[in-house]
Amino acid sequence: MGAVCYYVAAALHSFIACFSLFMQRASSSHHVHRNLTDGFTQIPLDHKVFEIQRPYDVPESARTLQLCKWSAQDVGGYDYSSGVWQFEAQGFVPRDTSGVCVMQIFGASHLRATTLMIRAYKGSLSYYRSPVLAPNIWNRWFKLNVIHDVDASTVKIYIDGIFVHEAAGHGGASHAFKCGVYSQNDASHYMESRWKGIKVFKRK
């Protein structure tokens, strides 16, 4: 009986040790993040450019920006050429909207127009055409964070707080965040995206 208890205790000790190691690795994984805006300062949106429209009897915090067919919104009117900038918002892509860019970083070099495009194709979000960043996004709100380090020439994308992709920058002297719907390859006839909680941050 004593031997059985010894082996059970040893096995339990081994399990606890392995579980503790697993939890340590999980907590340090790149998929687990602190507040993504730590170390950043929120930049007030410029209402001269970013106009808040109807309904006027609903608080601004409760309103949604809705963009349909080849329309987009410059976010805040802030063009930037250096430093580390971050876009944060909640997005919504209705069912059957496909083949469209819903968010981008405008500005690049070498005959490119953009440093980043996040597109919707058949219910998934992708970085340009690939890779797929998130499946099954039709008809649900998702949180999007994009961090652009101009000097390091990197762009990091987070969806619902989870890191999903890092890409190289594409140069350019001036950049701006945009969200909306731009027709791309194999675009659907109906296209729409909705946005709320739009914020812009700059690293301190």
Side-chain angles (χ1 to χ4, degrees):
M1 188 69 178
V4 172
C5 291
Y6 171 80
Y7 285 118
V8 169
L12 181 60
H13 181 270
S14 178
F15 170 79
I16 292 172
C18 290
F19 182 76
S20 297
L21 180 61
F22 170 79
M23 292 302 293
Q24 289 172 9
R25 288 179 176 175
S27 65
S28 63
S29 168
H30 70 282
H31 290 293
V32 180
H33 296 283
R34 68 187 194 289
N35 186 342
L36 292 172
T37 59
D38 283 353
F40 286 80
T41 299
Q42 185 174 348
I43 307 298
L45 296 179
D46 184 350
H47 283 216
K48 294 178 181 177
V49 175
F50 195 84
E51 183 181 357
I52 305 297
Q53 298 179 332
R54 298 184 304 272
Y56 299 108
D57 59 344
V58 176
E60 288 186 13
S61 60
R63 301 183 198 180
T64 300
L65 176 66
Q66 185 170 350
L67 297 138
C68 302
K69 216 161 193 184
W70 304 299
S71 61
Q73 174 67 58
D74 281 318
V75 180
Y78 290 100
D79 292 350
Y80 61 93
S81 57
S82 63
V84 184
W85 292 72
Q86 180 172 179
F87 169 92
E88 178 181 276
Q90 294 183 61
F92 184 97
V93 179
R95 178 173 294 278
D96 297 328
T97 291
S98 184
V100 300
C101 170
V102 296
M103 187 271 169
Q104 66 175 264
I105 298 176
F106 186 76
S109 60
H110 308 299
L111 304 179
R112 300 178 64 105
T114 61
T115 286
L116 164 77
M117 273 195 179
I118 295 178
R119 300 182 184 179
Y121 284 107
K122 297 181 179 179
S124 296
L125 292 180
S126 66
Y127 169 76
Y128 289 93
R129 290 292 301 225
S130 65
V132 170
L133 305 174
N136 306 317
I137 53 86
W138 270 343
N139 286 352
R140 75 170 181 87
W141 287 98
F142 57 89
K143 185 178 180 181
L144 175 65
N145 291 76
V146 174
I147 300 175
H148 184 195
D149 188 332
V150 181
D151 303 322
S153 192
T154 60
V155 177
K156 294 181 180 180
I157 305 167
Y158 302 78
I159 296 178
D160 293 327
I162 297 175
F163 171 77
V164 293
H165 189 62
E166 180 174 347
H170 294 297
S174 181
H175 303 281
F177 295 125
K178 293 174 179 279
C179 58
V181 278
Y182 286 97
S183 175
Q184 302 297 315
N185 311 83
D186 305 316
S188 56
H189 176 71
Y190 170 79
M191 55 185 73
E192 177 187 346
S193 71
R194 304 170 194 168
W195 297 89
K196 64 182 180 180
I198 299 171
K199 299 174 184 176
V200 175
F201 300 86
K202 184 179 181 181
R203 182 165 289 169
K204 299 174 184 177

